[in-house]
Amino acid sequence: MADISGMAHLQLTVSDMARSRPFYERLLHSMNMVTLLDDPNYFYCIGGKTGLAIAPADPDLAGDGFHQRRPGLHHLCFRARSREDVDELYRTAVDLGAVIVREPQEAEWAPGYYSTLFEDPDGIRIEVNYVPGKGHLQQP
């Protein structure tokens, strides 16, 4: 059986690079990620053992918009190191004008689960969570 060590990167397709690039640059840099590639057709940041890229949609499809119930991505979630980091990233999302779906709060998904959920300019949902210890991966 293969043993993975996490997710290396994720690429999102956006309808308008000029609108989405500044959003992702500020959001990802606020997570201590750094820009590795930046051109009109690709923006890619790395940090925290992961990477996130955005690229433009095909012009014929750019007007379709994101819908989380279509096949494909439902949402992505970054794991924070503390509740305070979740709160700080929530404030960054507010400053960016993101649509806030859920303010920071505890939830039942894992012991101590604390998260916020917001949308990028295309409506792609981004969650930031904190789970103390190893969460469900904790050995009994």
Side-chain angles (χ1 to χ4, degrees):
M1 178 183 301
D3 186 18
I4 63 166
S5 64
M7 185 171 290
H9 62 267
L10 183 66
Q11 179 176 318
L12 304 174
T13 301
V14 299
S15 64
D16 183 344
M17 284 293 282
R19 179 181 65 175
S20 293
R21 189 206 165 279
F23 177 92
Y24 278 101
E25 179 179 41
R26 183 162 171 213
L27 177 66
L28 299 176
H29 286 187
S30 75
M31 295 183 199
N32 207 24
M33 296 176 78
V34 297
T35 301
L36 185 63
L37 298 169
D38 186 3
D39 69 44
N41 291 308
Y42 202 73
F43 179 72
Y44 182 53
C45 287
I46 59 171
K49 297 183 181 180
T50 194
L52 188 123
I54 61 169
D58 182 300
D60 294 338
L61 302 172
D64 289 352
F66 176 79
H67 190 285
Q68 70 174 359
R69 292 296 180 196
R70 286 191 183 125
L73 180 75
H74 180 276
H75 75 279
L76 62 108
C77 182
F78 290 96
R79 180 156 301 180
R81 296 187 187 276
S82 69
R83 289 172 64 110
E84 293 78 18
D85 287 340
V86 172
D87 294 339
E88 183 176 332
L89 289 163
Y90 163 75
R91 288 188 296 274
T92 298
V94 169
D95 289 347
L96 284 167
V99 172
I100 305 300
V101 177
R102 187 176 62 246
E103 294 182 1
Q105 61 185 264
E106 292 186 6
E108 70 283 353
W109 293 295
Y113 196 100
Y114 184 73
S115 69
T116 187
L117 182 67
F118 53 92
E119 295 179 350
D120 83 346
D122 282 300
I124 297 171
R125 289 191 173 186
I126 301 167
E127 181 179 5
V128 180
N129 79 1
Y130 168 72
V131 178
K134 294 186 179 184
H136 289 301
L137 299 175
Q138 188 77 35
Q139 296 295 324

